[in-house]
Amino acid sequence: MKNVVFKVSFILFICFCFCVFVYAYRYKYFTVQYKYAANISEMQNGLQKDFSSALFVINNAGVEELQKIPGISPKIAGQIVVFREKNGAYTYLEDLQYVKGIGKKTLLKIKNYFLEQ
């Protein structure tokens, strides 16, 4: 009888823990989103950005908007738009690496200027 009570209480405990985890994950207690904050290295360097006018959606931004981003020349901005028109919408920001002139370092510099889709 004690063994059955132990098994039932153990199963109830596991179910309780699972429910707590699902609830916490669903309401994002375990994930933190900083959509409008600069990354940590930029905050440590004391750099400040005006995010109210500098956030773009990669699949909606035109050449003029992309040129406002530091590190994006008019030529690269044009290449981003042409690549999007030829290959369809960007699925991830990392897809920008397929554009000639954008490597890993450039992507790290510019990714904070784009909103997640």
Side-chain angles (χ1 to χ4, degrees):
M1 183 68 179
K2 288 182 181 181
N3 194 17
V4 173
V5 171
F6 175 76
K7 287 181 181 179
V8 170
S9 62
F10 180 74
I11 291 171
L12 289 174
F13 176 74
I14 295 299
C15 290
F16 174 76
C17 291
F18 178 75
C19 290
V20 168
F21 178 78
V22 169
Y23 178 81
Y25 183 77
R26 182 174 179 164
Y27 293 101
K28 299 181 182 175
Y29 290 120
F30 293 132
T31 58
V32 180
Q33 296 179 356
Y34 297 102
K35 285 188 177 179
Y36 301 104
N39 64 31
I40 293 172
S41 65
E42 289 176 342
M43 288 189 295
Q44 289 173 345
N45 291 335
L47 299 177
Q48 296 181 1
K49 296 180 181 177
D50 180 18
F51 280 96
S52 61
S53 63
L55 289 177
F56 305 101
V57 177
I58 187 63
N59 290 317
N60 296 338
V63 176
E64 297 82 20
E65 294 171 318
L66 292 170
Q67 290 178 18
K68 295 177 184 176
I69 300 172
I72 300 293
S73 67
K75 182 178 179 181
I76 292 177
Q79 290 174 346
I80 291 171
V81 173
V82 169
F83 186 89
R84 181 177 65 210
E85 291 171 354
K86 285 184 180 178
N87 300 304
Y90 292 99
T91 307
Y92 305 101
L93 284 177
E94 289 77 18
D95 293 344
L96 285 172
Q97 291 182 9
Y98 298 119
V99 176
K100 186 177 179 182
I102 298 180
K104 291 180 182 180
K105 290 182 181 179
T106 305
L107 182 63
L108 287 174
K109 290 179 187 176
I110 66 172
K111 72 178 184 178
N112 291 321
Y113 291 95
F114 296 102
L115 289 172
E116 293 295 325
Q117 298 182 14

